[in-house]
Amino acid sequence: MIFPGENERRIVIAILSFCVGIFLGLIAKITDIQFKDYLPSVVTLVAAFAGAWAAYLLQRRKELEKRVEEKVDAGNTAIFALMRCHNRFISIQRQAIDPFREHPARFVAIRPIIGEMVCGLELDYESLSFLFKSKNPNMLNELSSTQAEVESTVNLINQRSEVHFNYVQPVADKAGFQNGQDVTLNQINAALGHRLTETMKDLTDQLIEFVDFIVSDTEKLIEELHELLKSEFKGHAIVKMEKPNKSKQQGPAAGTR
C-alpha cells in the first residue's frame, strides 16, 4: 500500500500536479510561450492543490479530535471502574466491618459475605497506554498495583467467608450459640479451639487492613487520575467522584467536570 489513506493520496497527487505546473511554466517561459496561454492551467493546478490541502487538514483535524475523544473515553472508563470498586469496598467497610471494628470477638462477629465475591477492577491498559506520555507516566503502574491489591483482597474475603460458613458456624451451632445471645470471648475460644481461633483472627485482621487500604487507595487514585486527565485534555468532561451529603448512606456518586 503506497499511501496510508485517501487524503494522503490526494495531497501527494496535488503536490505533484503543482510541481508539474511549475515545470511546464518554466518550459513555457524558456520557449517564449505567452503567460496567457498557460495561465488557466496553472490556476486550475493551484486550485486543485489548495482544495486537496484543505481537505487533508480538515480530515487530519478530525482524526486528531477522534483520538483525543478515545483517550478521554478510556480515562473516564478507568475512573468509573475505580469508582465501582471503591463503592463496593466502602459498602463492605461500612456494613460489615465498622459495626464490629472494636468488638473483642470481631473475628467471628464480622459476618461472611453471602455468595462468592467476584468484584474486581477491570482496566483496559492498551487504551490507557497514552498515560505513559502524560505528566505522570507512573500512573499505569499505580493502577496495576491497585488492581493486584483488589484481586488479593477479593480472594481473602472469599477465603474468610468460606472458613466462617464451613467451620465457624457449624461449631457455633454445635455449641448452642444463638444469634443475639451473649457469649464470652473465652466461650468462643473454647468452642473454636486454638487453631481455628487464630486462623479467624489472622483472616479478619487482614480483611480489615486490606479493605481499608482499597477504600483509601482507590479514592486517591480516582482524584489523581481525574486531575491528570483534566490537565491533559482541557475543555473535556472528565468523570469526578463526588461524595454524597452526610444524610445519605450510599457510596460516592459520579459527576463530570
Side-chain angles (χ1 to χ4, degrees), residues 99-114:
F100 303 102
R101 187 180 289 272
E102 305 302 328
H103 196 288
R106 68 183 188 178
F107 60 97
V108 293
I110 296 177
R111 305 293 295 173
I113 303 299
I114 300 176

Side-chain angles (χ1 to χ4, degrees), residues 104-176:
R106 68 183 188 178
F107 60 97
V108 293
I110 296 177
R111 305 293 295 173
I113 303 299
I114 300 176
E116 184 178 6
M117 182 176 178
V118 293
C119 174
L121 180 58
E122 300 296 332
L123 297 171
D124 184 355
Y125 291 103
E126 183 176 354
S127 68
L128 294 171
S129 60
F130 68 90
L131 292 175
F132 282 127
K133 299 180 181 179
S134 68
K135 296 179 181 178
N136 183 8
N138 195 47
M139 176 59 71
L140 278 181
N141 181 54
E142 294 181 39
L143 291 171
S144 177
S145 177
T146 299
Q147 184 181 45
E149 292 288 348
V150 169
E151 292 175 356
S152 297
T153 304
V154 169
N155 291 334
L156 173 66
I157 291 173
N158 289 330
Q159 182 183 4
R160 182 185 180 277
S161 296
E162 182 181 356
V163 173
H164 203 298
F165 274 126
N166 296 332
Y167 297 95
V168 174
Q169 292 185 10
V171 169
D173 293 340
K174 185 176 181 180

